[in-house]
Amino acid sequence: MGPLFGKLVILSSVLNAGAADRLPVKPFLYHESFEDRDPVQFLKGTGKYTINFQGVTREKAFSGTKSYKLDVSFQEPYSSCDFAIPLEDIPATGTLRFSGMIRVEQALPKSRGILALDFSYWPCKTEGYSGDRSFPWNVQSAEWVKITADLPDRAHALASKMFPREFWPAEPDRAAACVQRIKIKLFARDQGDEKTQRRVVVYLDDLRIEGETAGREDFTKHAERQWEPVRQRVRNKIAAWAEIAAKAEAELNSLAELSGEAEKLRAVLMQKLKEHDVSRMPAIQEAEKNGWMALGAYEKLEPFYENLREHYLPNLRDLSRPELAERLSSRKYAIYDLGATMRPAERVLPDTVLLPGRLSDAITIRACPGEYEPASFVVKAFAALESMRVEAGDLTGPEGTIGAAAVDVKVVKCWYQEEPGTGRVLLPELLLNDEDLVRNDHAGKISLVKFNLPAGPKHLCADDPEWPKPVDRKTQSPVWVANDSDALLPVEILGGENKQFWVTVKVPDSATPGDYRGKLRLSSAGEALGEVGLRLTVLPVKLAAPYYEASVFVHGGENTIEKRYRAELKDQVAHGITAPMHLFDDVTKAGDHLSQLERTLEIRKQLGVPAGILIGNYHVVYGGLAGGKSHKGLTRIEITEKQRTAFIEKLQKYLAIMRSYGIKDVYFHLADERDAKELEAWLPVFEVVHEAGGKVITCMQIGNSFEMVGGITDVFFCENGISRREADKWHSKGSKIWPIWNPQGGLENADLNRRNHGLLVWKSRCDGVTEYLYSMEQAWLEAASAAASAAGDGVHSMVYRTTDGVIDTIQWEGYREGVDDVRYVTTLQQAIAEAKNSADKARVAIANEAERYLDRVDVHYGNLDEIRARMVEFILALNGN
C-alpha cells in the first residue's frame, strides 16, 4: 500500500492461515490523535450555514491534550455540512475495524453529529458511497461516545443497500470494497425561522482503523477474479438482446400487406428497436467496458426485449393473419391478457400501443384452495365504447361450481403522480369499482377526488377551498374521501384508447381441485359486445402459512371509526398480513388502553386474524417508563423503583389480556430510528419490558447499532437493504430481523413489491417483513395537489383511505403475491423435509432436486411466475400428483 494522508503503520507481512483461495493479509494500523496536525477537509454543505470554527483545539480531549473541533451554525432546517479525512483506499477486508470518539457538545434535539466512513467499490463505483446512514447519529451529550464498526461487514451492508438501486446485476458479495475517507457530517432538521439558533458543536478524537487487511497488489488481482463472472453475465445479456433485436428486425422487414392495426404496431416496433439499439446506446457501451450496467438501462431494455420476444412479435403475427384481422374489424375492440406482475416499463396508459401481453379472448389463473390470485386484461377500443360493463359469471367444471361472487373485477385507474426527475406523470395505480371516484385534469396534470360534502358529492383538488381540513375527531365528524362503489360500474373508453381491468379470484377453501371455466361478459350501452374467457385451475395443494410474519406500518390515532378499522383489518388479512400492527384507537377514550385493547382483540378474533404475535401499543411503554416524552433527542431515562414496579404490574395485566386471546408473544416497537446516546437511553426500558414478559422491536439503518442492541432487541426492523449476511449476523446474537423500507412503500410497481416482500426476504433468511406504510389521509394529496411533496409521508401509502374503507392498489396486490410466493416456498420446503425422511428413493431424489433448485433460484431477477410454477411442479411431484 502507498502512503496515506493520515498516520499509518503497516507492520511486517503475515499470510492468513486460512484456505488457499483467501487473500493474504498483513497487520494494519491507522491512528489519528490530532496531536500534531490538522487532516480534516471541508467537503460540501447544503442550505444556509456558517462555520464558526474548524480545527485542532485543546478545549476537550479524550486522550492526549488535543482533539478536533467543528462549530457550525445553521440558519435554516435541513441544512448540513460534510467534512472528511481523506485516505488512500484501504481494502476493507480481513479483520479491519474502525473506532473513534465523538462528543456532541451542543445541538438541538433534531440536529445530529455523525462520525462515519465512506466506501468505494471496484469496479462499480469510483466515487465513495456515503456510509453516514449506516453509522450511529449522535445527539447532544456531555460524554464522549465511542463509535466502532467491523469494516468488511459495514462495507457489505452499505453495498447490499445501494447496489440494487444502481447496478445490474447487483452483486455486493463480488465487489471489492475500500475505505475512501473518514466522514464527519453535521446537520439540522429543526423547524423554525431564520432566527432560530441551530448551532452544532462537535469534538472528535482517537480515530483508528486497525486489524489485518490485504496488500494492494493481492487485493487488485483478487478483485478482478471475483468480478469476472459478473462481467461475463453482462456481456451475455447484451449479446442476447442484440440477437433478439436482429431476428425481430429481419421479421419486421419481411412483413407486407398488413392490416391497419398490424401496420401501426409494426411501425412503432421499428421505431422502438432504434431507440433500444444496444450497439448505439452509450449506457451499453459503458457496460461492456466497465463490466456492470446502470440499473436504469437494464430496467428499460430487459422488459422491452422480453416483451418483444414473448408478446409484441407474436401479437403482430396474429394481427397479420387475414382471418383474425377480419374478425377484429367486425367488432369494436381487442383483448390483451397481461398477467398481474408488471414492471414500470410495462405500465399501460390509455395511449399505449405496445401492450405487454398476448392478444387473447381468455385469461388463465392457477391457485390453491383459499388463495386470492390476480390477473389482468386490457380492452383496446377501436371505436368508442360507451357505458361498457364487465360482469362475471359462475365458474363451472367437472368438479362443481364456484360462484360468481368469488370473482372480483375492478378497473385500473390512471391518475397523476409526482415522479422524481420526471415531474407530474399519469400512472396506473388505483383499483376501483367506480372510476369516477377520481377524475383527471390533463391540462393541469392533476387529479380531483370525490368527497361527500354536507351540500352533496363534489370532486376537489387540494387547492380548492372546500378541500376538507383536519378536524378534532373527539368533537367533530371528519369528512373523508367518498367510498368506492360496492360493485363495478360502467366505464367509458374512447376510440383508440386502452382500459385495463384487474381480476381477482378468491378460491373457496372447500373448492375441489380441477379445471373450471367461466366468462366475463362485456356490453356497451346495453348491447352485448362479447366475452372474455376465465380459466381457473384449482391445484391439489394445501398451502402452508408463510414461515415468516408479514406486517405493515399503520399510523395510530386514525381509526376512530370502528367500521373503517374493521374494513382495514379485513383488507390486511386478505392480503396476507399475519401480524397487523395497528390497534383500535378510539380517541374519545384516550389513555384507556385496556378497554381499547380488549375491543381490538375481540374484533381481530371475529375477523380471523392470526393470533400468533401482536405488536402492542407503544404508548403503554412510553407513558409508563419514559414519562410520555418524545424519544427524539432523549439521552437519559430515569426509572425509579416505584415506576418500575408499577409498570411491570400494569404491563403484565396488558399481556394477560392478550394471552387470554391466544397471543403468545407481544412486541413493542420502541426507540424508532434512534442511535448512539438516544438508543442507549432506552436500554433500561428494554430490560424492564423483558422482565415483565414483553418483547422489543427497534427500527434502524442496516449495519447501524448492532454492537449496542444485537441480542438485546428481539426484532430488528432493518431499514434500506437486506442480505443473508446481515440476517446471519443478527441471528448469531439471537435477534430476529425483518426488512422495512425495502426500498419503500407506495411505489407503483407490482413486480418490485412482490419480489422485495416475498422471495427476496426468504432467500435472505429474514424472519418477517413489514413496510412503511399502509396508508395516511394525506396520501390523496400526491395526485390532488400541484405542489411537489404535498403528501409528505402519505406518498408511501400502499392503499388509500375512504370514509369506511380503503382503495386497493397494484403495489398492494404485489405485496400479497409476495406473501403467497413465501407460502409456496414454505409448502415446498415442508414437502422436501417430509420426503427426505421417507424410504421412497424416488421421492428422496425429487426432494434433492427441488432443494438444489431452491439453492440456485434467481430471486433477484428471475421471472416470479415461472419460479412459482416450478415450485408447484415440485410440490405436486413430492405429493404424488
Side-chain angles (χ1 to χ4, degrees):
M1 304 258 322
L4 295 176
F5 292 102
K7 294 181 178 178
L8 170 66
V9 179
I10 302 178
L11 306 178
S12 58
S13 177
V14 179
L15 281 180
N16 188 352
D21 61 341
R22 296 183 67 181
L23 273 168
V25 296
K26 55 184 119 179
F28 179 94
L29 173 64
Y30 166 90
H31 180 219
E32 182 55 67
S33 63
F34 303 107
E35 293 297 321
D36 56 7
R37 70 193 196 99
D38 179 350
V40 180
Q41 300 176 359
F42 175 79
L43 280 183
K44 64 178 180 179
T46 61
K48 297 180 181 179
Y49 57 87
T50 302
I51 300 177
N52 305 313
F53 181 82
Q54 174 189 348
V56 175
T57 180
R58 292 180 179 271
E59 294 175 1
K60 309 281 182 181
F62 177 76
S63 62
T65 61
K66 299 177 184 177
S67 66
Y68 201 85
K69 180 181 179 181
L70 293 167
D71 181 346
V72 180
S73 294
F74 297 101
Q75 283 80 49
E76 59 185 15
Y78 303 102
S79 301
S80 66
C81 282
D82 292 355
F83 304 86
I85 300 175
L87 305 171
E88 187 172 303
D89 286 348
I90 303 169
T93 61
T95 61
L96 278 191
R97 290 189 63 80
F98 169 76
S99 65
M101 306 304 299
I102 182 170
R103 179 168 177 163
V104 182
E105 189 73 14
Q106 181 176 336
L108 289 178
K110 292 186 180 180
S111 297
R112 299 289 188 268
I114 307 172
L115 175 60
L117 298 175
D118 282 355
F119 296 91
S120 61
Y121 296 88
W122 188 94
C124 297
K125 195 82 172 176
T126 53
E127 294 298 320
Y129 269 139
S130 178
D132 55 45
R133 293 285 292 177
S134 57
F135 281 74
W137 300 5
N138 294 272
V139 296
Q140 181 173 320
S141 172
E143 303 170 1
W144 287 94
V145 177
K146 187 174 185 178
I147 304 300
T148 63
D150 177 293
L151 264 63
D153 173 76
R154 198 58 48 92
H156 184 272
L158 186 60
S160 297
K161 176 170 66 175
M162 301 304 297
F163 276 31
R165 303 179 188 182
E166 295 198 30
F167 309 123
W168 183 88
E171 295 277 5
D173 291 335
R174 291 188 173 277
C178 292
V179 184
Q180 188 182 50
R181 59 195 172 210
I182 297 173
K183 173 87 166 287
I184 308 101
K185 186 180 188 73
L186 311 183
F187 71 92
R189 291 192 296 186
D190 301 83
Q191 298 295 326
D193 54 29
E194 292 186 358
K195 296 181 181 179
T196 302
Q197 294 298 309
R198 303 178 184 84
R199 189 175 181 184
V200 182
V201 180
V202 171
Y203 296 89
L204 310 168
D205 203 1
D206 200 19
L207 310 181
R208 294 174 179 267
I209 298 174
E210 54 191 329
E212 292 183 327
T213 190
R216 177 60 57 84
E217 184 176 350
D218 290 328
F219 179 75
T220 301
K221 290 179 180 178
H222 181 74
E224 289 276 4
R225 290 194 303 271
Q226 279 283 99
W227 197 256
E228 184 53 34
V230 183
R231 190 185 302 277
Q232 189 57 51
R233 187 175 177 184
V234 171
R235 293 192 190 110
N236 292 343
K237 176 59 70 176
I238 295 171
W241 289 337
E243 182 179 359
I244 295 171
K247 290 180 179 179
E249 188 171 3
E251 181 173 351
L252 292 173
N253 286 328
S254 69
L255 296 174
E257 299 183 4
L258 299 177
S259 66
E261 190 67 21
E263 183 56 49
K264 180 180 178 182
L265 181 57
R266 189 182 84 95
V268 173
L269 277 176
M270 292 293 286
Q271 178 60 37
K272 292 296 182 181
L273 276 171
K274 291 179 181 178
E275 294 175 9
H276 295 77
D277 186 347
V278 294
S279 67
R280 298 181 180 181
M281 294 180 70
I284 299 305
Q285 293 169 359
E286 285 293 309
E288 290 180 316
K289 180 179 71 175
N290 296 333
W292 55 266
M293 188 182 306
L295 182 62
Y298 175 81
E299 290 183 336
K300 175 182 178 182
L301 292 167
E302 178 68 2
F304 173 76
Y305 282 111
E306 275 189 13
N307 281 293
L308 180 63
R309 182 183 62 236
E310 301 294 332
H311 299 135
Y312 303 153
L313 286 174
N315 287 339
L316 182 56
R317 293 183 199 118
D318 289 343
L319 289 169
S320 301
R321 289 165 31 214
E323 64 273 18
L324 179 59
E326 183 178 348
R327 181 155 60 92
L328 289 179
S329 67
S330 67
R331 66 188 194 188
K332 298 180 178 180
Y333 67 93
I335 301 295
Y336 288 79
D337 176 12
L338 265 63
T341 306
M342 289 164 289
R343 296 160 286 191
E346 298 166 314
R347 289 169 177 158
V348 175
L349 299 176
D351 61 351
T352 299
V353 175
L354 297 179
L355 293 168
R358 285 301 309 275
L359 263 169
S360 175
D361 283 340
I363 58 175
T364 302
I365 292 176
R366 289 208 312 170
C368 300
E371 185 182 4
Y372 291 85
E373 188 62 19
S376 77
F377 67 93
V378 166
V379 175
K380 186 176 187 64
F382 302 137
L385 299 177
E386 299 177 356
S387 298
M388 200 198 90
R389 288 184 175 272
V390 181
E391 298 172 292
D394 293 343
L395 292 158
T396 59
E399 308 301 333
T401 299
I402 296 175
V407 182
D408 178 56
V409 184
K410 287 182 166 52
V411 63
V412 180
K413 180 68 178 185
C414 298
W415 66 330
Y416 282 96
Q417 303 280 280
E418 190 80 26
E419 281 216 324
T422 305
R424 307 289 294 181
V425 295
L426 197 64
L427 293 181
E429 181 183 15
L430 306 179
L431 305 182
L432 297 174
N433 284 328
D434 178 8
E435 189 178 24
D436 193 53
L437 185 73
V438 175
R439 294 175 180 173
N440 290 319
D441 174 359
H442 297 296
K445 290 189 175 181
I446 198 169
S447 299
L448 291 81
V449 183
K450 182 180 178 182
F451 286 87
N452 286 326
L453 302 178
K458 190 170 184 179
H459 285 80
L460 303 170
C461 75
D463 301 327
D464 292 322
E466 293 177 273
W467 181 273
K469 302 298 188 292
V471 299
D472 182 352
R473 294 175 192 149
K474 294 182 182 179
T475 59
Q476 301 180 52
S477 296
V479 180
W480 306 107
V481 170
N483 289 326
D484 194 12
S485 169
D486 292 334
L488 182 64
L489 299 180
V491 300
E492 308 295 324
I493 312 180
L494 298 178
E497 290 195 349
N498 310 305
K499 189 74 72 177
Q500 184 178 4
F501 294 88
W502 198 273
V503 182
T504 304
V505 175
K506 167 60 166 71
V507 182
D509 294 334
S510 59
T512 303
D515 292 330
Y516 296 78
R517 296 291 182 267
K519 296 175 181 177
L520 303 174
R521 295 182 295 274
L522 308 182
S523 63
S524 175
E527 296 184 3
L529 283 176
E531 299 167 341
V532 178
L534 177 55
R535 302 167 183 168
L536 170 67
T537 297
V538 178
L539 298 167
V541 175
K542 181 175 175 56
L543 275 184
Y547 82 90
Y548 69 2
E549 297 289 352
S551 188
V552 63
F553 263 77
V554 178
H555 276 215
E558 296 174 310
N559 296 299
T560 311
I561 302 169
E562 183 175 321
K563 184 175 182 181
R564 190 170 72 166
Y565 174 70
R566 285 177 172 273
E568 291 184 2
L569 203 57
K570 186 177 179 180
D571 174 68
Q572 289 185 32
V573 172
H575 280 79
I577 299 301
T578 62
M581 194 173 293
H582 60 329
L583 309 183
F584 178 56
D585 189 4
D586 185 347
V587 298
T588 65
K589 298 179 180 179
D592 186 9
H593 296 301
L594 294 183
S595 67
Q596 293 192 62
L597 175 62
E598 291 237 43
R599 186 62 188 146
T600 295
L601 296 174
E602 186 59 39
I603 294 170
R604 288 163 67 112
K605 181 179 179 181
Q606 293 170 10
L607 296 179
V609 177
I613 73 168
L614 187 140
I615 300 174
N617 191 329
Y618 67 89
H619 290 299
V620 173
V621 179
Y622 272 56
L625 291 179
K629 297 176 182 177
S630 169
H631 58 182
K632 295 179 179 178
L634 187 66
T635 58
R636 189 176 183 85
I637 298 177
E638 297 282 357
I639 303 176
T640 66
E641 186 60 29
K642 182 179 179 180
Q643 284 177 309
R644 176 182 164 279
T645 302
F647 174 77
I648 290 176
E649 181 180 349
K650 180 179 179 181
L651 185 58
Q652 287 181 338
K653 290 180 181 178
Y654 189 82
L655 298 178
I657 292 172
M658 295 187 182
R659 286 169 182 149
S660 72
Y661 281 83
I663 293 169
K664 180 181 177 182
D665 293 316
V666 182
Y667 293 80
F668 296 93
H669 179 214
L670 306 173
D672 179 49
E673 296 183 330
R674 300 303 97 195
D675 300 288
K677 278 295 180 183
E678 294 172 290
L679 184 56
E680 184 181 15
W682 280 90
L683 296 183
V685 176
F686 294 179
E687 183 179 344
V688 177
V689 170
H690 284 144
E691 185 179 351
K695 296 193 174 185
V696 172
I697 296 170
T698 51
C699 180
M700 297 168 288
Q701 287 284 331
I702 187 169
N704 195 311
S705 295
F706 171 76
E707 293 82 1
M708 186 177 295
V709 294
I712 296 175
T713 185
D714 297 285
V715 174
F716 163 45
F717 279 177
C718 172
E719 288 190 47
N720 284 320
I722 55 173
S723 69
R724 180 172 292 189
R725 182 169 174 171
E726 188 74 17
D728 289 346
K729 182 175 73 173
W730 286 85
H731 289 159
S732 72
K733 292 289 188 178
S735 295
K736 294 181 179 180
I737 177 172
W738 297 18
I740 182 176
W741 204 254
N742 187 32
Q744 69 186 57
L747 292 177
E748 299 85 358
N749 185 332
D751 179 86
L752 178 142
N753 278 281
R754 178 179 176 180
R755 194 179 302 275
N756 284 25
H757 300 108
L759 291 180
L760 267 177
V761 179
W762 160 75
K763 196 71 168 179
S764 301
R765 292 188 179 141
C766 292
D767 308 283
V769 65
T770 190
E771 193 50 88
Y772 186 86
L773 53 84
Y774 183 62
S775 187
M776 292 182 76
E777 310 305 344
Q778 64 262 39
W780 292 101
L781 296 177
E782 184 183 9
S785 174
S789 305
D793 276 355
V795 73
H796 306 304
S797 295
M798 303 296 283
V799 302
Y800 293 80
R801 284 173 165 153
T802 65
T803 302
D804 295 329
V806 294
I807 301 298
D808 196 1
T809 65
I810 62 169
Q811 60 262 29
W812 190 224
E813 290 294 295
Y815 199 108
R816 172 161 58 193
E817 284 296 279
V819 176
D820 282 349
D821 285 338
V822 173
R823 294 182 68 193
Y824 276 94
V825 78
T826 303
T827 304
L828 176 54
Q829 289 184 311
Q830 290 176 359
I832 290 171
E834 182 182 344
K836 292 181 77 171
N837 289 324
S838 76
D840 187 334
K841 293 183 179 179
R843 285 186 71 205
V844 171
I846 296 170
N848 289 332
E849 183 184 354
E851 202 166 47
R852 287 192 295 271
Y853 172 76
L854 292 180
D855 284 342
R856 65 177 184 267
V857 65
D858 183 3
V859 299
H860 293 274
Y861 305 106
N863 183 297
L864 294 174
D865 290 331
E866 292 176 1
I867 292 172
R868 184 186 289 188
R870 187 69 173 126
M871 289 194 292
V872 168
E873 289 178 10
F874 281 120
I875 293 169
L876 295 177
L878 289 169
N879 291 343
N881 292 305

